[in-house]
Amino acid sequence: MKLGEAIQGAVPLTETKPHLDIFDEVYSDYMKQKIRKKFGLLNKELETDKDIYDSFLETMQKTGADFTNCFRCLSMLPLLGSPNFQAKLKDVKEYILTQCSTLEELKSMHKPEMDPRQLQAFLAMVQSNPGLVNALGRNFASITRDLEKLEKIKEMEDKTDEDQRKTNEEAWDSWLKKYVERLNIEMEGKTDLIQANAERVRVMNSNNPRFILRNYIAQNAIKAAEKGDYSEVRRVVKLLENPYNEEVDLGELALPQQVGNASKSKDDKFSDGGATSSKSKGTGELRSYTGMLYESKPPDWSLDLKVT
């Protein structure tokens, strides 16, 4: 309704209201279909599918896993009954675990904007005078978020890196078990696994991008441009023109394949014609001038980048 009110100077509210009344329903239906495509659930629609999505997001948040890469790698997992299914399942799990955050990264991600001592003081004030909540208005929402972050950090105080790795593994074991059970239902009545897997990969990879404009990628391009080198900007633009494509030909913009301190791509097990091979047409792995793969999990230093 607020949208209709905002544009009523151009379109009368009497004309937009009938459409706005059904907006939530149409949007909800669209999102359901989009989510099913992202997870490769193409043949059957179940009430429990929402739990697959919600628990996936919760698991990513709990483990600090990379959103884009985790979604993209799901197409590497074929349907049950496919050759080497268990091996592929293990590969997917191992890859996802490489996309999870370390304990230090999680602590950095949950670092409050406000000084912890100030937060505690605000909390004490609100507890003694609840009326302050209304007085603070929107500011209270940001304070609440910081308090939640502070609580998360306290939960991690006694954790070790090994504890976090175990937490990550258990969390993803649990979710993948649920996902595999759902894929089993998906295959009921299907006889042509090859065709079903091919369609699954096609749909999933056209709904889960391989490349996105990450903060650190933009920052690297900006730094190069500030020095007068715009080739990195052009490479990034070229990739983002076809973010879902597996094969991308950068032509003259392509850099020689780099080794050494460059971040590794997905395991070679996924480069044998799988859904998300890191090889591109005529260019090898797609790396920036810094040596990092464009599809890499963000480096540690990028956690402090702020969008302005």
Side-chain angles (χ1 to χ4, degrees), residues 122 125-126 131-141 143:
F122 267 114
M125 289 169 61
V126 169
L132 281 175
V133 173
N134 293 329
L136 288 169
R138 291 184 178 180
N139 289 331
F140 184 71
I143 293 171

Side-chain angles (χ1 to χ4, degrees), residues 45-114:
E45 185 170 353
L46 306 179
E47 289 293 328
T48 53
D49 287 347
K50 186 177 184 300
D51 179 57
I52 293 289
Y53 176 67
D54 289 343
S55 58
F56 183 74
L57 295 183
E58 289 169 6
T59 305
M60 281 197 295
Q61 183 178 34
K62 182 178 182 179
T63 62
D66 186 86
F67 183 94
T68 301
N69 289 346
C70 284
F71 259 117
R72 180 78 177 188
C73 83
L74 291 179
S75 65
M76 300 172 186
L77 184 63
L79 293 165
L80 270 77
S82 302
N84 302 319
F85 174 81
Q86 290 300 328
K88 290 290 186 182
L89 176 60
K90 181 181 177 183
D91 292 343
V92 167
K93 174 190 164 183
E94 288 178 353
Y95 174 71
I96 289 179
L97 290 176
T98 68
Q99 300 303 301
C100 294
S101 296
T102 64
L103 185 61
E104 287 306 310
E105 287 171 340
L106 283 171
K107 288 179 179 178
S108 179
M109 288 163 57
H110 288 95
K111 184 179 179 181
E113 297 289 334
M114 189 180 293

Side-chain angles (χ1 to χ4, degrees), residues 41-243:
L41 306 177
L42 312 177
N43 301 315
K44 300 180 186 296
E45 185 170 353
L46 306 179
E47 289 293 328
T48 53
D49 287 347
K50 186 177 184 300
D51 179 57
I52 293 289
Y53 176 67
D54 289 343
S55 58
F56 183 74
L57 295 183
E58 289 169 6
T59 305
M60 281 197 295
Q61 183 178 34
K62 182 178 182 179
T63 62
D66 186 86
F67 183 94
T68 301
N69 289 346
C70 284
F71 259 117
R72 180 78 177 188
C73 83
L74 291 179
S75 65
M76 300 172 186
L77 184 63
L79 293 165
L80 270 77
S82 302
N84 302 319
F85 174 81
Q86 290 300 328
K88 290 290 186 182
L89 176 60
K90 181 181 177 183
D91 292 343
V92 167
K93 174 190 164 183
E94 288 178 353
Y95 174 71
I96 289 179
L97 290 176
T98 68
Q99 300 303 301
C100 294
S101 296
T102 64
L103 185 61
E104 287 306 310
E105 287 171 340
L106 283 171
K107 288 179 179 178
S108 179
M109 288 163 57
H110 288 95
K111 184 179 179 181
E113 297 289 334
M114 189 180 293
D115 185 282
R117 289 169 296 184
Q118 289 181 305
L119 280 173
Q120 295 292 358
F122 267 114
L123 182 60
M125 289 169 61
V126 169
Q127 288 174 339
S128 61
N129 186 2
L132 281 175
V133 173
N134 293 329
L136 288 169
R138 291 184 178 180
N139 289 331
F140 184 71
S142 63
I143 293 171
T144 300
R145 285 193 295 271
D146 271 357
L147 285 169
E148 290 172 353
K149 289 180 179 180
L150 191 61
E151 192 62 33
K152 288 286 186 183
I153 288 180
K154 287 181 179 179
E155 291 174 6
M156 291 185 275
E157 280 181 353
D158 297 325
K159 267 192 171 184
T160 64
D161 289 332
E162 184 57 36
D163 290 334
Q164 187 58 46
R165 280 192 290 270
K166 186 177 180 181
T167 295
N168 293 347
E169 187 165 0
E170 289 176 350
W172 283 109
D173 273 338
S174 176
W175 186 83
L176 284 169
K177 180 181 178 182
K178 187 183 302 185
Y179 185 51
V180 168
E181 289 172 352
R182 177 61 181 85
L183 290 183
N184 192 31
I185 298 174
E186 189 72 6
M187 269 310 296
E188 291 177 359
K190 288 285 181 180
T191 56
D192 191 338
L193 272 176
I194 294 177
Q195 182 180 353
N197 277 324
E199 178 65 6
R200 169 181 160 82
V201 169
R202 184 192 68 78
V203 172
M204 292 180 75
N205 282 1
S206 62
N207 284 274
N208 295 315
R210 178 184 175 192
F211 305 109
I212 60 171
L213 184 58
R214 299 177 185 270
N215 286 352
Y216 80 90
I217 291 176
Q219 182 63 26
N220 285 337
I222 290 169
K223 286 175 67 176
E226 287 175 341
K227 297 176 182 177
D229 180 3
Y230 290 89
S231 61
E232 182 65 13
V233 173
R234 290 194 288 271
R235 274 191 291 274
V236 172
V237 169
K238 186 73 173 177
L239 287 177
L240 296 179
E241 286 175 352
N242 298 286

Side-chain angles (χ1 to χ4, degrees), residues 239-293:
L239 287 177
L240 296 179
E241 286 175 352
N242 298 286
Y244 298 93
N245 284 14
E246 194 51 45
E247 291 191 347
V248 180
D249 189 354
L250 293 179
E252 295 179 354
L253 292 171
L255 293 170
Q257 185 168 332
Q258 300 174 38
V259 294
N261 63 351
S263 296
K264 293 186 181 296
S265 177
K266 296 180 179 65
D267 197 289
D268 288 341
K269 298 166 187 171
F270 298 140
S271 299
D272 56 354
T276 52
S277 163
S278 63
K279 306 299 181 185
S280 63
K281 187 177 179 181
T283 64
E285 295 175 328
L286 294 174
R287 299 179 185 272
S288 73
Y289 78 99
T290 66
M292 286 198 69
L293 287 159

